[in-house]
Amino acid sequence: MSRFALRLILILGFAGALTGQNPQSWTTPFPPHRIADNVYYVGSRGLASYLITTPDGHILINSSLESSVPMIRASTEKLGFRFSDVKILLVSHAHWDHNAGSALVKELTGAKYMVMEQDVAVTEDWREVGFPVWQRSNIALQTRQSGSRSQGRGRVKLGGVVLTAHLTPGHTKGCTTWTMKARDGGKDYNVVIVGSPNVNEGYKLVNNALYPNIADDYARTFRVLKSLPCDIFLGAHGEYYGMEEKYARIKPNGPNVFIDPDGYRHYVAEREQAFLKALDRQKSERPQR
Ligand SMILES: [Zn+2]
């Protein structure tokens, strides 16, 4: 058997295994809805995608799975917007549940795909990383969203909207938390879309040859997240901010249910404790010499 065929089989087998693991909520549709101002939810029950509309076209955050793309498109159209008007595609981080559909979104819309510098390698070739990521590897990046070295921040501008990228690494090397301002009821609010502060099953926080400074990066992420002013709390998965529960509370002319600064603070504090606990546990498991 040729080497090429072997690799192909391995990749297909791997993809199958991952598909089998996907929670059902990831592929369950969810009603698209306005969060505030020009910010809309167009994701599934379990995978968050956000549409930010502008007079010059739209920004989409998270292409999600390849099978999510038709759902995201339908949600966009249901809200009265054209999917073909998506001009810029961004992601929360380079894991397949947020970016496997990126090649398809680019194909359908011609959108510019902007990825945080530190996540570019894995976006271009998933074999670059030591943890499983499934995605089409032939994505041509048109623009690299590189944070300035001192601040780890970058800006994306379209039609008067400014999105700021904050490098919040650890979960992936280029994990990105997006912030912007949104106006609601005559007031300006700070929107935060958390990239992910989670330490996944199997992550090595100690003696990680592929990612030696992973623990320091998580610590940096919590410093950044705690420094961000947040009124409207959003994230890469709806479960970060209680999306379903908040959606159920939406009432016509009622208060904006997504304004939740306390929920944000509690979430970040709880996730930091979970990280510190995992770090302590892994340090104590190290062989003593
Ligand atoms: Zn992830």
Side-chain angles (χ1 to χ4, degrees):
M1 187 186 289
S2 78
R3 230 177 167 174
F4 175 74
L6 182 64
R7 173 175 284 176
L8 198 66
I9 287 162
L10 283 172
I11 290 171
L12 291 173
F14 185 44
L18 280 173
T19 307
Q21 283 169 4
N22 288 349
Q24 208 189 346
S25 69
W26 287 8
T27 49
T28 306
F30 197 81
H33 53 273
R34 178 187 232 139
I35 294 161
D37 206 351
N38 57 339
V39 184
Y40 298 86
Y41 187 92
V42 291
S44 65
R45 247 183 87 195
L47 295 176
S49 292
Y50 301 96
L51 185 76
I52 296 139
T53 61
T54 93
D56 295 341
H58 313 315
I59 300 168
L60 178 66
I61 301 181
N62 292 332
S63 58
S64 302
L65 307 173
E66 208 163 34
S67 65
S68 312
V69 177
M71 261 196 270
I72 295 170
R73 182 186 193 153
S75 292
T76 301
E77 285 165 358
K78 215 167 162 184
L79 291 166
F81 302 106
R82 281 200 310 230
F83 194 60
S84 58
D85 285 341
V86 173
K87 300 288 181 222
I88 296 176
L89 172 63
L90 307 171
V91 288
S92 292
H93 59 265
H95 277 169
W96 83 100
D97 49 336
H98 310 294
N99 74 357
S102 292
L104 185 55
V105 170
K106 274 174 60 63
E107 203 176 298
L108 293 172
T109 64
K112 217 192 266 184
Y113 188 25
M114 302 170 85
V115 174
M116 184 68 86
E117 184 76 44
Q118 292 86 339
D119 263 355
V120 167
V122 56
T123 302
E124 290 178 335
D125 186 348
W126 59 270
R127 287 161 301 177
E128 285 284 320
V129 286
F131 45 83
V133 174
W134 171 252
Q135 61 183 18
R136 286 166 69 159
S137 58
N138 61 344
I139 295 165
L141 291 163
Q142 293 175 352
T143 310
R144 294 184 176 199
Q145 179 57 52
S146 75
S148 83
R149 299 225 179 269
S150 56
Q151 296 181 322
R153 279 164 41 145
R155 288 205 153 87
V156 172
K157 293 179 188 174
L158 184 71
V161 168
V162 181
L163 272 165
T164 304
H166 304 262
L167 178 65
T168 46
H171 187 80
T172 66
K173 290 177 182 177
C175 185
T176 310
T177 293
W178 294 99
T179 61
M180 63 176 285
K181 300 262 189 210
R183 226 172 148 69
D184 193 81
K187 280 191 203 160
D188 278 327
Y189 291 100
N190 291 299
V191 180
V192 178
I193 306 173
V194 175
S196 178
N198 296 323
V199 179
N200 283 11
E201 193 67 43
Y203 270 34
K204 266 185 85 161
L205 299 172
V206 177
N207 288 341
N208 185 336
L210 290 162
Y211 194 169
N213 57 334
I214 184 169
D216 291 342
D217 272 5
Y218 271 106
R220 173 203 168 120
T221 285
F222 289 107
R223 280 198 302 277
V224 172
L225 291 179
K226 284 188 278 187
S227 76
L228 296 176
C230 175
D231 303 304
I232 294 177
F233 168 30
L234 306 171
H237 294 274
E239 66 191 21
Y240 293 7
Y241 66 95
M243 184 275 285
E244 285 188 73
E245 178 270 321
K246 282 174 176 158
Y247 175 78
R249 286 197 279 118
I250 296 177
K251 284 197 191 85
N253 303 315
N256 189 319
V257 298
F258 299 103
I259 298 172
D260 185 15
D262 288 343
Y264 176 75
R265 271 193 298 274
H266 288 142
Y267 172 78
V268 172
E270 189 278 324
R271 288 290 83 201
E272 184 173 31
Q273 287 312 308
F275 157 69
L276 292 171
K277 232 172 111 183
L279 183 61
D280 273 354
R281 197 175 50 238
Q282 290 193 23
K283 275 182 175 164
S284 68
E285 281 164 1
R286 280 174 74 181
Q288 304 291 317
R289 311 183 201 201

